[in-house]
Amino acid sequence: MAAMVKKKREGEDCATLIAMATQPDLNYGSMVTGDEVTGQNKNVFSDGITHIDFVLVWEDNVTQMKDGQAEEKVSPVPGDSHRKWRERFLSGLQTAGIHLEKRVVEEEKRQISYVLLSAPWNVLCYYAEEISLRVPLQVVPPTTCNWSEIIMKKLSIPNLMAQDVPNLPPDFYTCQFRTNKLERFLGSDNKDTFFKTTQRHQIVYEILARTPYGVVKKGEVGIARLVSENIFSAAYPLHEGPFEMPEGPVDPQSLDLRQILHQYWARWACWKKYQPLDHIREYYGEKIALYFAWLGFYTGWLLPAAGVGTVVFLFGIWLMAIDVPAKEICDSGGTYIMCPLCNICSYWNLSSICITFKAGLLFDNGGTVFFSIFMSLWAVTFLEYWKRTNAVLAHRWDCSEFEEIEERPRAEFTAMAPMTVRNPVTGAEEPYFPESSRFKRIMTGCMVIIIMVTVVLMFLIAIILYRTILSIIIFRSQNAFFIFSAGRIASLTGSMLNLLVILMLSRVYKYLAKLLTRWEMHRTQTKYEDAFVLKVFVFQFVNFYSSPIYIAFFKGRFVGYPGKYYTLLGIRNEDCGVGGCLIELAQELLVIMVGKQVINNIQEFVCPKLKSWWHKRKFHHSKDKEHEGQDEGQEQSTTPWETDYQLLLCEGLFDEYLEMVLQFGFITIFVAACPLAPLFALLNNWVEVRLDAQKFVCEYRRPVVERAQDIGIWFNILQVITHLAVISNAFLIAFTSDFLPRLYYRYTTEGNLKGYVNFTLSIAPNSFSQNHTQCRYRGHRDHNGHLLPEHYHLLAIRMGFVIIFEHVVFFIGHLIDMMVPDIPEDVEIKIKREHYMAKEALADNQSLGKKVLRAQQG
């Protein structure tokens, strides 16, 4: 690296984290208690003018004295250090120019302190330039980017999904803020409204994240660590009023943004309407808006997949009535006596699986091949069109160059980086962590991931053994009903046990991944989150997909044959159930995918409401105690910061993305085994959109705005899943399904499936027969257990099918990729126009420099 690297000096402990061009007015902002001012139910200081940008909260325990006076409990030593850190942190905020006002609320057993923060104009301007905030230059006419809305307009079809949402946020051409070019920007004549509310939150949070409270080299910097160590109880921006609609008739244009989001987005009645993405972005920022944009886009694209999958499933129902092998099995009576499925199991008649075999036709039929190809191409096309939609939204929301140009280093990285380096692009000194050291730490993290994956595989082996042992126990019970259903009982309970293990291990690993990612010292928040997501997803992929992969590709493949069965730890290897492996795979998918979705939706619906009810109950109980002596007619009022403190903390979008991406894997990688998977996913996602919307609008505190230009590494994971889906479906159809053996039998016989059941069964060697009973088993072997030519013919056909399937699908996928440009042409024109306008707006200093140069030369 040509740039010069400098080690941090000892004296640089905290001076470089907060630096202001001008000294702030340190006397501004009162530190008063709630008893000394009459708080109003508005997001302003006690002066009724200063806007509240952020709120910090902490709690202290109090003891109730006999005379009714509350006295603060003597805090232990940790409490003293917490108080010292809080005071140092608040002092640092004042030094950075933030205005503070303190409110104290006395309750029965605790004292809650609220510190209200506001950033004055000079601080907003300084940090807006520092963090490269984008501000408006010119209004852009609104454009429609919803593909279905465009199609319906062209076809003159009434669009039932559209709704007229009031107060649509305008779109602008923007450029990075410069204080000396203030007059060039729209709205610069009004300092109170020039910066949006979300931009003010962003600036204040940047200061909160940079302000040190202890030794910087130990990472004692920023509000995030203070909250994680319970020095502060919470830190949040305020909601813009309540979400409930006012009583009586009201003009929609008079609603605030939170009420609009609740009325036109978060209610269940809006389930069939488009999401107001621009409003979501205006209130919650680009990162959350992009999540809901992707979720809505994905849900819309599930409609054709669910429709085709349902048709394939109905085709399977029709096939149940006319399938020749199914009739042969049901009418066989005692013709086919099958060999025992385990060492202590008894012989059984093939006719006993009549219903199970017919049920398997719902998932294993000729339509499955078509649906697998369809879903592979659907996934490729979905991702290509999402790239276009993402490019449109990223440009419209001014974040298309965020990661390359505008994103700042993380505050923790800035504090703990051991040296600085000169940025070759900007020329500025920036914190730096050696790549060699990070690589070593990443390798250590990989070893932890391998260990955790090994633990998952050990649990998988344990569940396999559990199924085998449970089958043996059931057969020994001598109960006719349980003996007949032994395989299904063992398989179903094993699936449920596997789901419990998955949910348990997920919590443990997520905590480990956070520690490892923090230790790796990633420079920006985007890289930090991508590293964390990749770690957790690799683990979750193995965790959720190991059991279906085992059933699809390994179960029943290494069984052997009567008289020469293979064993694992002394126990005979698990064979497919009487209905075949594909129906077991469908059962496993339904239990894990649908079961997980049901559990998640119950958790997302019930848990936030229970937590919110409990929080509010504690507050109301304390308020009731406090106001016992007041007159009944006296109204109890709650300030906005108290109301928002009762809400739940938003813990980010990771769990939401993970749930959807795992679902995407289930409906693409294993779709050959369950054509109804897209339909279940569609129904779940319709519910998911409204559940998530309700949580953000009604249950959560307002999250801090975060910028993003795309959905991050999740898109790369979706691309990998799409490629795996092509390979997986090719092998599923070739080796697990009966599709190719049926085709081969038709081709080598009279063109129909008469006698197909007998073709698939071999006769056990004479040495295996007990009581002179000859039994049959699945396979193509002779009386001595040697493989027949048909086995090798089928193996060649299967391998050929895999190669042809993969090449055809990948070729068509690449054609779609080439035909669909990543960025629409009109967006490219807008980007060039915006660059031109930004250059014109900031060009005066360049022309002035040229004049000075000419004057010097003259």
Side-chain angles (χ1 to χ4, degrees):
M1 182 181 292
M4 185 179 295
V5 177
K6 299 180 181 178
K7 289 201 171 182
K8 287 188 177 179
R9 297 187 298 272
E10 295 293 330
E12 291 181 340
D13 201 29
C14 59
T16 57
L17 293 176
I18 295 291
M20 287 289 295
T22 58
Q23 288 297 321
D25 178 11
L26 298 180
N27 296 321
Y28 187 95
S30 58
M31 296 292 285
V32 296
T33 64
D35 298 331
E36 297 172 6
V37 294
T38 56
Q40 300 177 358
N41 193 18
K42 295 179 181 178
N43 296 357
V44 291
F45 278 16
S46 56
D47 59 9
I49 300 172
T50 307
H51 187 271
I52 299 171
D53 295 317
F54 230 87
V55 179
L56 304 180
V57 188
W58 74 87
E59 298 182 10
D60 292 309
N61 294 328
V62 297
T63 54
Q64 192 72 21
M65 307 301 290
K66 290 182 180 179
D67 58 356
Q69 296 295 321
E71 179 182 320
E72 190 171 349
K73 186 186 290 184
V74 178
S75 299
V77 174
D80 293 335
S81 61
H82 284 188
R83 186 182 297 108
K84 180 179 68 177
W85 283 337
R86 275 197 299 266
E87 290 172 356
R88 192 178 297 172
F89 185 74
L90 294 175
S91 175
L93 293 180
Q94 282 190 312
T95 304
I98 297 295
H99 297 164
L100 313 176
E101 183 172 284
K102 185 178 178 184
R103 303 290 185 89
V104 178
V105 177
E106 301 283 357
E107 295 187 354
E108 183 185 8
K109 295 182 180 180
R110 60 180 177 170
Q111 174 183 287
I112 305 178
S113 300
Y114 298 89
V115 176
L116 314 179
L117 311 180
S118 180
W121 174 252
N122 66 321
V123 173
L124 291 172
C125 289
Y126 176 82
Y127 278 97
E129 194 165 341
E130 176 78 7
I131 65 176
S132 303
L133 272 189
R134 299 185 72 88
V135 288
L137 290 169
Q138 179 183 322
V139 177
V140 180
T143 55
T144 302
C145 74
N146 195 306
W147 59 273
S148 59
E149 193 170 358
I150 295 170
I151 292 173
M152 289 182 182
K153 275 186 180 179
K154 288 182 179 178
L155 298 176
S156 300
I157 299 173
N159 190 354
L160 300 177
M161 294 180 286
Q163 57 179 341
D164 185 18
V165 184
N167 300 333
L168 179 68
D171 188 16
F172 300 102
Y173 286 119
T174 64
C175 74
Q176 294 181 10
F177 177 77
R178 293 290 182 270
T179 307
N180 59 349
K181 302 295 179 185
L182 182 62
E183 70 281 355
R184 299 290 183 90
F185 303 121
L186 284 182
S188 58
D189 53 338
N190 189 342
K191 293 181 179 180
D192 293 332
T193 59
F194 178 71
F195 291 108
K196 296 188 296 184
T197 305
T198 50
Q199 290 178 324
R200 296 176 68 99
H201 297 166
Q202 201 175 341
I203 289 169
V204 174
Y205 189 76
E206 181 72 18
I207 298 171
L208 289 170
R210 293 189 194 184
T211 304
Y213 62 89
V215 181
V216 174
K217 288 184 178 178
K218 293 181 181 178
E220 293 174 349
V221 176
I223 190 62
R225 184 160 178 182
L226 286 167
V227 172
S228 68
E229 295 182 0
N230 294 320
I231 298 167
F232 285 99
S233 303
Y236 52 90
L238 291 176
H239 278 293
E240 296 176 9
F243 64 84
E244 296 91 350
M245 293 284 288
E247 295 181 1
V250 61
D251 180 13
Q253 301 296 328
S254 67
L255 298 175
D256 65 43
L257 201 48
R258 191 182 183 196
Q259 290 171 329
I260 290 173
L261 288 174
H262 182 259
Q263 182 68 16
Y264 295 92
W265 179 47
R267 296 186 305 121
W268 289 105
C270 303
W271 67 271
K272 61 181 183 296
K273 301 294 185 182
Y274 292 131
Q275 299 182 92
L277 295 176
D278 290 312
H279 294 76
I280 298 169
R281 179 252 180 169
E282 189 75 10
Y283 197 75
Y284 292 110
E286 291 81 10
K287 192 169 192 175
I288 291 173
L290 277 171
Y291 163 71
F292 281 106
W294 177 81
L295 180 57
F297 188 84
Y298 170 47
T299 303
W301 273 72
L302 280 173
L303 277 168
V308 175
T310 304
V311 170
V312 170
F313 183 77
L314 293 175
F315 173 73
I317 294 177
W318 174 73
L319 200 63
M320 287 171 62
I322 65 164
D323 188 62
V324 174
K327 287 182 179 178
E328 286 185 354
I329 289 175
C330 294
D331 298 338
S332 63
T335 305
Y336 301 110
I337 299 174
M338 304 298 292
C339 297
L341 292 174
C342 65
N343 291 335
I344 65 166
C345 302
S346 57
Y347 294 94
W348 54 285
N349 287 328
L350 187 62
S351 58
S352 64
I353 68 163
C354 173
I355 297 175
T356 307
F357 186 85
K358 284 186 174 182
L361 293 173
L362 296 173
F363 309 104
D364 186 4
N365 55 67
T368 303
V369 181
F370 162 76
F371 191 50
S372 298
I373 297 173
F374 172 83
M375 285 302 295
S376 299
L377 298 178
W378 171 90
V380 173
T381 312
F382 160 69
L383 293 180
E384 287 303 314
Y385 274 92
W386 167 249
K387 278 197 287 189
R388 286 172 61 86
T389 303
N390 188 93
V392 172
L393 293 174
H395 175 258
R396 196 163 88 197
W397 294 342
D398 306 317
C399 52
S400 54
E401 297 177 343
F402 170 68
E403 291 180 17
E404 294 83 0
I405 299 174
E406 301 169 31
E407 190 170 18
R408 303 281 301 169
R410 294 167 56 238
E412 188 178 21
F413 176 83
T414 303
M416 299 182 69
M419 57 188 68
T420 60
V421 63
R422 187 175 299 279
N423 189 312
V425 178
T426 64
E429 287 284 335
E430 291 185 353
Y432 177 74
F433 189 81
E435 288 296 329
S436 57
S437 300
R438 182 180 292 118
F439 179 76
K440 291 174 184 176
R441 295 186 178 191
I442 290 173
M443 288 297 101
T444 305
C446 290
M447 295 303 298
V448 175
I449 294 173
I450 292 170
I451 292 170
M452 289 301 297
V453 166
T454 305
V455 171
V456 172
L457 297 178
M458 288 170 61
F459 273 103
L460 176 63
I461 293 171
I463 290 171
I464 294 169
L465 294 175
Y466 159 82
R467 283 199 290 252
T468 305
I469 293 168
L470 183 63
S471 299
I472 294 172
I473 293 172
I474 292 173
F475 273 107
R476 284 181 174 172
S477 68
Q478 303 300 321
N479 185 304
F481 172 77
F482 285 115
I483 288 174
F484 178 74
S485 306
R488 282 193 293 274
I489 293 171
S491 179
L492 185 60
T493 55
S495 299
M496 296 174 69
L497 185 62
N498 187 44
L499 178 61
L500 293 176
V501 169
I502 285 169
L503 297 176
M504 178 186 69
L505 288 177
S506 298
R507 290 181 174 272
V508 176
Y509 182 74
K510 191 175 174 184
Y511 175 75
L512 276 175
K514 274 187 180 178
L515 293 179
L516 287 170
T517 310
R518 184 181 173 190
W519 182 56
E520 288 169 3
M521 289 287 291
H522 294 280
R523 179 179 176 272
T524 62
Q525 186 66 22
T526 299
K527 290 182 179 178
Y528 172 87
E529 290 178 1
D530 287 351
F532 174 71
V533 166
L534 187 59
K535 283 183 184 64
V536 178
F537 184 79
V538 168
F539 172 77
Q540 295 286 33
F541 184 89
V542 178
N543 204 2
F544 277 93
Y545 295 148
S546 56
S547 184
I549 287 173
Y550 163 73
I551 293 173
F553 304 116
F554 297 100
K555 188 175 181 180
R557 299 286 181 275
F558 310 101
V559 178
Y561 59 91
K564 194 176 180 181
Y565 286 116
Y566 304 133
T567 61
L568 173 66
L569 302 177
I571 298 175
R572 177 175 153 183
N573 286 352
E574 195 177 21
D575 198 355
C576 293
V578 291
C581 277
L582 207 64
I583 192 170
E584 286 190 42
L585 178 59
Q587 173 187 289
E588 185 81 5
L589 291 178
L590 291 174
V591 169
I592 294 179
M593 188 183 96
V594 179
K596 182 179 182 297
Q597 289 178 350
V598 169
I599 291 172
N600 282 347
N601 285 334
I602 291 173
Q603 285 179 336
E604 290 184 25
F605 182 75
V606 175
C607 291
K609 293 191 179 299
L610 287 177
K611 288 179 182 177
S612 183
W613 170 81
W614 180 250
H615 284 193
K616 290 176 182 177
R617 181 181 178 276
K618 289 195 299 182
F619 277 89
H620 290 316
H621 179 71
S622 301
K623 287 281 183 185
D624 292 341
K625 291 281 186 182
E626 186 181 341
H627 293 279
E628 273 181 359
Q630 294 182 353
D631 296 334
E632 290 183 7
Q634 188 171 348
E635 206 174 297
Q636 299 178 18
S637 62
T638 305
T639 57
W641 43 91
E642 289 180 88
T643 302
D644 285 9
Y645 184 50
Q646 297 172 28
L647 300 177
L648 304 177
L649 172 67
C650 174
E651 297 181 351
L653 297 169
F654 173 78
D655 289 329
E656 316 298 339
Y657 271 120
L658 180 64
E659 181 184 354
M660 291 298 105
V661 172
L662 287 173
Q663 179 199 89
F664 182 83
F666 280 122
I667 69 168
T668 52
I669 295 177
F670 303 108
V671 74
C674 189
L676 286 181
L679 177 63
F680 288 121
L682 175 65
L683 297 174
N684 173 78
N685 291 7
W686 260 328
V687 175
E688 184 74 24
V689 171
R690 302 307 149 189
L691 279 178
D692 288 347
Q694 284 190 355
K695 285 191 301 184
F696 276 94
V697 175
C698 308
E699 309 290 348
Y700 284 163
R701 297 173 194 148
R702 190 173 184 177
V704 181
V705 167
E706 291 185 72
R707 302 195 68 205
Q709 71 181 56
D710 50 38
I711 62 173
I713 200 172
W714 292 113
F715 182 80
N716 304 98
I717 291 172
L718 291 171
Q719 286 184 312
V720 172
I721 288 175
T722 300
H723 285 80
L724 287 177
V726 176
I727 299 168
S728 170
N729 285 313
F731 278 93
L732 264 177
I733 294 167
F735 289 93
T736 307
S737 167
D738 269 351
F739 175 72
L740 291 181
R742 287 183 178 223
L743 276 184
Y744 173 76
Y745 185 78
R746 281 178 184 272
Y747 179 76
T748 55
T749 57
E750 300 174 356
N752 57 43
L753 292 175
K754 193 173 292 184
Y756 174 74
V757 174
N758 186 59
F759 167 74
T760 61
L761 301 177
S762 298
I763 300 173
N766 295 328
S767 58
F768 181 78
S769 301
Q770 300 172 7
N771 301 324
H772 304 287
T773 302
Q774 205 171 45
C775 63
R776 311 291 291 272
Y777 64 97
R778 294 182 186 276
H780 299 284
R781 295 176 182 268
D782 60 19
H783 289 277
N784 298 317
H786 300 140
L787 292 170
L788 295 172
E790 286 83 352
H791 170 83
Y792 296 103
H793 294 165
L794 274 172
L795 183 61
I797 292 170
R798 283 168 166 156
M799 294 305 299
F801 175 84
V802 168
I803 294 170
I804 294 171
F805 183 95
E806 288 178 359
H807 280 70
V808 168
V809 173
F810 281 135
F811 175 73
I812 298 175
H814 284 303
L815 279 181
I816 294 171
D817 191 2
M818 292 168 58
M819 292 167 59
V820 180
D822 292 348
I823 302 177
E825 186 179 354
D826 58 334
V827 173
E828 288 184 342
I829 294 172
K830 285 182 180 179
I831 291 172
K832 292 175 182 177
R833 170 70 178 163
E834 191 167 45
H835 284 167
Y836 170 77
M837 294 185 66
K839 185 177 178 181
E840 289 293 309
L842 304 176
D844 279 0
N845 58 345
Q846 297 176 4
S847 59
L848 178 63
K850 290 178 182 178
K851 288 180 182 178
V852 171
L853 184 61
R854 282 197 297 268
Q856 288 175 349
Q857 290 173 348

